[in-house]
Amino acid sequence: LQRLLDEHLDQLCRLTTFDEFGVEDKEEVKDSEQMTALQRRQRNANAEDFVGLCHASMSFVQTEESDNPLPIGLSMRALCHTACYADLISEDKVLPPVSGSQPSDPNAAGYTYEGLSNEEALEMVLWRPILDGLAAGICSTAPSSSGGVGCLVQRGSVITMRAILLRHGHVFSTSQWSVILRQVILPAIQIGAEYDTSPVTTITSESPSVSSLDFLNEALPLPPTADDEGLMKFAELAESDESAPTRPLGTAELLVEASFADLRHGGDGDLRKAHGLAKKNQDGKKDTEQPFPDSWIATTAPVALGMLTDVFSEVVLDKGKEGREVLWPIILEQLQRWSIGFPRTKPILESIRDDTNNDAGSEAWSPCESLVRIGCKELYRILEKLPEKHASLTEHDAQAWPKLVFQTISDTLAKNVAMEKVLHEELVETKLRRLGLDPRDPKKETVAENDVGASKNPNDSSSLVVDRIEECVLEDGRTVEIPVTKIKLESGSSLYDGDQAEAKEEEDDEDNNEDVEEDEPSYLQEYIPSLKIRCIASHCLQQGILEVADVFSHMVGKEELANLLRALEESRVMSSKASDDEDLAHAFQEALLSEWGGGVEEVESSLASVGGILHKGGAEMFFLTQQAGADKAIIYILSQLYCVHGEDAKSYGWDTQTYAEPLLFERMLDVLQKFLISEKDNAEYINPNVWRMASDSGGKIALYCTCFADVCSSILETILNFNQDQFNQHKDAIYPILCSLIRVQSEEIRGLVQQIFVTKIAAVLGIRGCAEAVEG
């Protein structure tokens, strides 16, 4: 098959012409209305022959586990064939059929996609075997590891699909792109994620800011243009090989060959340097072992979702209004599905089965932490692409696209915080109900404070009942009768006194053992991991804002910025309440102890070094980090609006300083005052070494002062950016706090306070040359 493509490609290309039964000359006719009936039949037959050729190549891409697996190199070579076929279609060297398209029978001629016009459907007859075959390779369940590098066929299929779409995406209409995304790409990558049962799906970091998933692959950078010098050198080297084809490589085929060379040799995805890889001997390369080579999520998911970002950048942006209204919502749906688990839908395979079974009882699919971090990263990669393409957009699109995509961040964060809040409330309600307490009672007391009083006063005679009389034989031989009393609680349970109470409890425990076993895993496993992942999603979304806010604050309007600030405020308020909720903290402790298997001594020994259970994977660790991230993002955005002057201020088109000033100072003063209180109350319990890297301490110790040290540093840097008039206007509120910050243990914070004193305070006092004197 490879020899056929290398040596007889011209004969394959005759499929665009018609053989008039012995006539020597051949006539090329593309307009179906000018064809004779014989020519139409031959055109359809030629197209079906080409479809068969595509299926022949794709049959060598293994998509399921087998006792006799195909060599991986064979599958990778078959993937290169598909790129060659795509080049032929794009260059009109193979033409689609003129009639007979149908979307129902994959084994019949003219098989295409539904939801298209007749002409579009006929064009997709040639593309469907290629796209569907690559989609099957993307979500293949067959192991394909070599040299410590895993999921080669799956990644190779993504790389090939990406190369074809980036090189030839211009030939598809908006409707065809919609079909390709909805019916091919998105189902394939979702199935790939759902099929992954590796340990990667169960890994949850102990803190949102300290990821345990550093082994995840990265998305590939955009490939260079077809005439790139590096790619041309790679093509020359590849064609000089003795076994290389004599024909030149097509644009998509060249991109796939270069990408596979990069993959084999552990490159960074920069294909401008691919010619250097072509010189290497594969036997001489060093194997790079991956921690989870068989995990689709760890190896393939970042590349697969990154393909959507590339499609957005190179295709969707250029389609203007159609891109915004038709294609962008499709891409956004997948990004939000991985980043925040929205919308709450069933797993895709169950959804397909339930179309006929009408089963509405299955649980909604939720992403693991790995997918959340991948999804959030791609969401911001899309934002990063906009400034790069801004100059090539029309004036209307240059205004519409940034507002739309920036609004997506606000919408995504707001949705996630809303779901996070519901999980928090449901978790606490479930916990209280298990303890026999009414979660709606505002005067409820924790069990630790009053185990019985929360239900009914045990001294109330109406609640005390003598259950039975027990006889007890004493050491001297006497027999005494002991009444065993029973306290009836509002929850319906009973409390017994004396030794018999313990026996009765053991008896009841045995009777209800099955109920407890069923309730405990549900209580811990249903809520805690999901709530942690929601918190991590909020953190990742908030961290990304810091990287794009300075650029996009000039490209969007007041409404878009206000919506983002509103979403951040909701995140701040929600996480603040969660970090103070003792019931939630207790549930996190219970879950952590359950994970350790109840080994109290081992748990206490492992957690004692950093302040105990509240600091390692506890509720405070997660929600203080989220709260700090929200505050930092709010202050950063407002400082960008407040500290703008001159021509930059005019570029906004609205009064940013008047809007930002009250909000900024409210947040700044609130954070600094709470930091001082926390630092004073907890300073003696914190190892001084923690303060040497204040910006990293929040990910290790769950105290307000450690989690917010980096936020305080950002606030002080903001004050340094004030002009002198702005500082003078607020000096009465700022100065007392600065004086208090002199005493804190963080050298970083004290250093920033010093800079404020030698610049801003010195200017207020009329002291000149203070900064130079201090530096000297």
Side-chain angles (χ1 to χ4, degrees):
L1 188 58
Q2 181 67 45
R3 186 175 62 83
L4 177 66
L5 296 178
D6 291 345
E7 300 178 8
H8 302 283
L9 192 61
D10 289 340
Q11 285 88 334
L12 290 177
C13 294
R14 74 175 178 82
L15 299 180
T16 60
T17 62
F18 303 99
D19 191 344
E20 294 290 350
F21 295 97
V23 178
E24 293 293 332
D25 57 325
K26 296 180 179 179
E27 175 188 8
E28 183 175 350
V29 181
K30 293 185 179 179
D31 190 351
S32 60
E33 295 181 359
Q34 300 177 9
M35 296 180 189
T36 65
L38 179 62
Q39 288 175 333
R40 292 169 67 88
R41 287 197 301 271
Q42 188 170 352
R43 170 83 167 262
N44 289 350
N46 289 344
E48 197 58 29
D49 288 343
F50 179 80
V51 169
L53 185 63
C54 295
H55 283 305
S57 288
M58 291 310 305
S59 66
F60 291 96
V61 179
Q62 189 165 348
T63 58
E64 296 179 352
E65 285 192 72
S66 170
D67 294 334
N68 300 303
L70 294 171
I72 295 175
L74 194 63
S75 295
M76 302 299 277
R77 180 47 45 194
L79 293 174
C80 293
H81 291 182
T82 63
C84 177
Y85 301 146
D87 290 331
L88 294 178
I89 301 172
S90 179
E91 296 168 7
D92 286 337
K93 293 181 178 179
V94 179
L95 298 178
V98 295
S99 62
S101 65
Q102 53 86 22
S104 55
D105 186 356
N107 297 317
Y111 187 51
T112 186
Y113 298 107
E114 60 183 352
L116 298 172
S117 68
N118 183 57
E119 182 179 354
E120 291 172 331
L122 289 169
E123 291 172 353
M124 296 305 290
V125 169
L126 299 179
W127 287 102
R128 178 150 199 175
I130 297 174
L131 298 177
D132 283 4
L134 292 173
I138 289 173
C139 56
S140 169
T141 56
S144 56
S145 299
S146 177
V149 180
C151 293
L152 285 173
V153 169
Q154 292 84 345
R155 270 194 284 177
S157 299
V158 173
I159 289 170
T160 306
M161 176 83 80
R162 175 178 180 264
I164 291 172
L165 295 178
L166 292 181
R167 286 293 186 251
H168 304 310
H170 63 278
V171 305
F172 301 117
S173 67
T174 300
S175 298
Q176 289 170 330
W177 264 112
S178 176
V179 164
I180 291 170
L181 290 170
R182 285 199 181 279
Q183 300 184 33
V184 182
I185 298 178
L186 301 191
I189 65 176
Q190 185 62 31
I191 290 172
E194 292 179 11
Y195 269 156
D196 193 335
T197 57
S198 70
V200 172
T201 60
T202 61
I203 295 176
T204 305
S205 302
E206 292 183 339
S207 167
S209 60
V210 183
S211 172
S212 301
L213 301 163
D214 296 335
F215 52 81
L216 295 177
N217 274 347
E218 296 289 335
L220 296 175
L222 269 176
T225 58
D227 58 354
D228 176 75
E229 183 180 356
L231 275 181
M232 293 297 100
K233 289 182 179 179
F234 176 87
E236 292 175 6
L237 290 170
E239 291 170 8
S240 64
D241 190 273
E242 293 181 359
S243 60
T246 56
R247 62 178 177 82
L249 298 175
T251 55
E253 187 180 13
L254 173 58
L255 193 56
V256 171
E257 293 281 4
S259 299
F260 284 1
D262 179 81
L263 181 62
R264 286 194 302 269
H265 295 286
D268 59 1
D270 186 357
L271 300 185
R272 294 172 299 179
K273 301 179 290 187
H275 62 281
L277 298 174
K279 298 177 183 178
K280 293 184 179 180
N281 184 346
Q282 183 168 352
D283 295 335
K285 78 178 183 72
K286 295 182 180 179
D287 291 343
T288 54
E289 187 74 26
Q290 292 178 318
F292 300 96
D294 294 325
S295 168
W296 189 93
I297 291 175
T299 60
T300 311
V303 183
L305 202 64
M307 174 172 57
L308 295 185
T309 302
D310 297 334
V311 167
F312 170 82
S313 172
E314 301 304 302
V315 177
V316 178
L317 277 177
D318 294 332
K319 289 192 174 290
K321 184 178 180 181
E322 285 187 340
R324 288 192 294 276
E325 295 181 354
V326 179
L327 302 182
W328 169 242
I330 301 173
I331 293 176
L332 176 60
E333 181 179 341
Q334 187 63 39
L335 290 171
Q336 289 188 333
R337 192 173 193 184
W338 278 16
S339 59
I340 62 171
F342 182 89
R344 300 279 291 162
T345 56
K346 292 179 290 188
I348 188 169
L349 296 178
E350 288 189 21
S351 299
I352 295 172
R353 289 194 295 266
D354 294 346
D355 285 342
T356 54
N357 298 336
N358 195 25
D359 178 13
S362 19
E363 295 183 0
W365 177 84
S366 295
C368 61
E369 182 185 340
S370 299
L371 292 177
V372 164
R373 291 189 182 271
I374 293 168
C376 291
K377 182 178 291 187
E378 287 309 311
L379 196 56
Y380 280 101
R381 278 190 72 227
I382 280 182
L383 276 171
E384 293 170 2
K385 298 294 181 184
L386 273 175
E388 299 173 8
K389 303 282 290 186
H390 195 261
S392 63
L393 300 176
T394 65
E395 182 179 354
H396 178 71
D397 288 343
Q399 294 177 355
W401 272 116
K403 290 183 178 181
L404 177 64
V405 180
F406 194 79
Q407 179 63 36
T408 295
I409 301 297
S410 310
D411 177 66
T412 304
L413 178 60
K415 284 186 171 76
N416 187 68
V417 171
M419 292 185 288
E420 192 178 3
K421 182 179 179 181
V422 169
L423 277 175
H424 171 201
E425 293 172 351
E426 289 182 353
L427 169 60
V428 173
E429 288 178 6
T430 302
K431 172 182 179 294
L432 295 177
R433 285 196 182 96
R434 289 178 65 251
L435 297 174
L437 301 176
D438 184 0
R440 294 169 297 179
D441 183 5
K443 299 181 180 180
K444 66 177 174 59
E445 298 177 352
T446 60
V447 177
E449 294 172 347
N450 190 355
D451 290 341
V452 179
S455 298
K456 181 171 282 192
N457 182 2
N459 295 322
D460 186 349
S461 59
S462 62
S463 65
L464 292 173
V465 178
V466 177
D467 184 62
R468 60 189 179 279
I469 302 297
E470 296 284 352
E471 289 187 354
C472 180
V473 180
L474 303 180
E475 290 184 357
D476 59 4
R478 289 180 300 160
T479 301
V480 296
E481 294 181 345
I482 301 177
V484 177
T485 57
K486 177 173 67 174
I487 305 172
K488 194 68 176 177
L489 303 178
E490 287 183 351
S491 62
S493 58
S494 300
L495 184 67
Y496 293 84
D497 69 346
D499 294 336
Q500 292 295 328
E502 296 181 5
K504 181 65 177 176
E505 286 180 0
E506 292 177 2
E507 181 182 336
D508 291 341
D509 286 345
E510 291 178 1
D511 293 339
N512 300 317
N513 186 50
E514 294 183 1
D515 295 336
V516 173
E517 288 181 354
E518 291 178 0
D519 185 49
E520 189 73 12
S522 173
Y523 165 65
L524 297 174
Q525 297 173 12
E526 180 179 353
Y527 291 106
I528 300 295
S530 297
L531 192 52
K532 285 182 177 181
I533 290 173
R534 295 284 180 205
C535 182
I536 290 170
S538 293
H539 172 77
C540 292
L541 291 169
Q542 292 167 175
Q543 288 297 106
I545 291 170
L546 302 174
E547 301 174 6
V548 299
D550 55 340
V551 175
F552 277 86
S553 60
H554 292 81
M555 301 172 67
V556 300
K558 180 179 179 180
E559 181 181 355
E560 288 76 26
L561 287 170
N563 288 338
L564 179 58
L565 288 169
R566 191 177 300 113
L568 287 167
E569 177 65 13
E570 291 171 357
S571 175
R572 186 192 70 81
V573 172
M574 178 270 154
S575 53
S576 176
K577 291 180 179 178
S579 64
D580 293 335
D581 191 333
E582 294 183 3
D583 291 316
L584 182 64
H586 180 270
F588 268 68
Q589 293 178 29
E590 189 177 359
L592 189 58
L593 289 171
S594 176
E595 290 176 7
W596 283 74
V600 178
E601 294 182 0
E602 293 181 3
V603 174
E604 291 181 349
S605 173
S606 299
L607 301 179
S609 60
V610 252
I613 198 168
L614 298 180
H615 298 162
K616 283 280 191 174
E620 294 89 344
M621 183 82 273
F622 278 82
F623 295 106
L624 279 175
T625 302
Q626 179 180 342
Q627 183 185 352
D631 268 317
K632 186 174 182 178
I634 291 171
I635 291 167
Y636 184 79
I637 294 172
L638 293 173
S639 67
Q640 293 290 316
L641 300 176
Y642 184 65
C643 297
V644 65
H645 310 288
E647 293 299 321
D648 289 340
K650 294 180 182 179
S651 66
Y652 281 93
W654 55 287
D655 190 352
T656 60
Q657 292 186 350
T658 301
Y659 172 81
E661 184 176 17
L663 301 174
L664 175 62
F665 279 91
E666 178 188 0
R667 283 288 88 236
M668 286 171 49
L669 297 177
D670 179 64
V671 169
L672 290 174
Q673 289 165 356
K674 289 179 179 178
F675 173 83
L676 286 168
I677 294 171
S678 176
E679 204 267 352
K680 181 180 178 181
D681 293 343
N682 298 287
E684 60 182 298
Y685 306 112
I686 301 174
N687 189 323
N689 292 326
V690 169
W691 298 109
R692 293 181 181 178
M693 297 184 67
S695 60
D696 296 333
S697 60
K700 300 174 183 177
I701 299 180
L703 296 171
Y704 190 96
C705 58
T706 55
C707 289
F708 278 77
D710 188 42
V711 185
C712 290
S713 297
S714 299
I715 292 173
L716 297 176
E717 290 172 354
T718 297
I719 294 175
L720 284 169
N721 290 330
F722 290 172
N723 62 33
Q724 197 59 46
D725 290 339
Q726 290 173 329
F727 183 84
N728 292 343
Q729 185 179 354
H730 297 280
K731 62 181 184 294
D732 292 344
I734 295 174
Y735 183 75
I737 294 179
L738 292 175
C739 293
S740 299
L741 288 172
I742 294 174
R743 299 175 54 254
V744 303
Q745 296 189 55
S746 169
E747 292 183 8
E748 180 181 350
I749 292 176
R750 293 203 306 268
L752 290 168
V753 171
Q754 180 191 33
Q755 292 181 44
I756 295 174
F757 267 87
V758 300
T759 54
K760 306 300 182 184
I761 302 295
V764 173
L765 298 176
I767 303 173
R768 297 181 179 179
C770 184
E772 293 78 3
V774 170
E775 291 177 3

